[in-house]
Amino acid sequence: MQKYGIVITDITDINKLDTSKIDYIKLSDHGLTPSLEMYETIKAHYNVPIYCVIKHQAKYYNQETIEAMCDSAKALIANGADGLVCDFMNSDYSINYLLVSKLRRYVKDKALIYELTLDDKCDELRVLQELIVIEVEKVIFKGNLKQYL
């Protein structure tokens, strides 16, 4: 039987999911970093790897938002998250190497997953090369895949 990763953005429907078909969970709170309480609630219901999104509502990150995301990342990993998911890019569509590298250090031996949106502005080959250097384990592609098939 084929299994699937699912995205949970709200805990209201957690009892309605068929766990036999779930391979992993990508957890966010409506697209942003989930709280530790949200993570623990999901963890109590499922026995599959849970990868937590690290994202702040601010469009541009300053030192305060970066520290808040890093604190959340450390807390989620310390409490058993199987890895983190991020999509940090600079305005020139290059990887925010500093921030992704920080997350790489926090996850240690757990998974760091990068979510890459495919569009006309992004040099995907350059981005993938940067992610290899940072040692990202997996890349999730979003966007128009037709141009690549």
Side-chain angles (χ1 to χ4, degrees), residues 2-138:
Q2 188 171 6
K3 292 188 173 189
Y4 302 91
I6 63 163
V7 177
I8 295 179
T9 62
D10 189 328
I11 63 171
T12 56
D13 291 330
I14 59 173
N15 293 321
K16 299 177 185 175
L17 298 173
D18 180 359
T19 59
S20 67
K21 296 180 181 178
I22 297 173
D23 190 40
Y24 69 90
I25 294 170
K26 179 182 136 191
L27 181 64
S28 73
D29 186 356
H30 302 282
L32 304 175
T33 302
S35 67
L36 191 52
E37 294 78 20
M38 182 180 189
Y39 165 74
E40 290 172 342
T41 300
I42 298 299
K43 183 179 177 182
H45 280 79
Y46 299 106
N47 188 25
V48 296
I50 300 173
Y51 305 106
C52 297
V53 170
I54 302 298
K55 190 168 190 166
H56 194 276
Q57 65 187 8
K59 185 173 181 178
Y60 299 103
Y61 301 139
N62 59 28
Q63 191 60 36
E64 184 179 325
T65 56
I66 290 171
E67 287 177 18
M69 289 186 294
C70 290
D71 289 346
S72 294
K74 288 187 250 184
L76 289 162
I77 290 295
N79 282 278
D82 296 287
L84 303 175
V85 180
C86 68
D87 66 352
F88 304 124
M89 290 196 114
N90 297 314
S91 59
D92 67 350
Y93 296 94
S94 63
I95 295 296
N96 185 321
Y97 196 88
L98 180 64
L99 193 47
V100 177
S101 294
K102 275 187 176 189
L103 292 183
R104 172 75 261 159
R105 287 191 303 274
Y106 298 151
V107 299
K108 298 178 182 163
D109 60 339
K110 297 188 178 187
L112 179 60
I113 301 168
Y114 192 87
E115 197 165 68
L116 177 61
T117 300
L118 301 173
D119 61 25
D120 299 339
K121 300 169 191 155
C122 182
D123 180 351
E124 293 84 6
L125 183 57
R126 181 188 70 185
V127 168
L128 290 172
Q129 290 170 334
E130 292 171 347
L131 293 172
I132 289 168
V133 170
I134 299 171
E135 298 181 4
V136 168
E137 281 80 10
K138 185 187 291 188

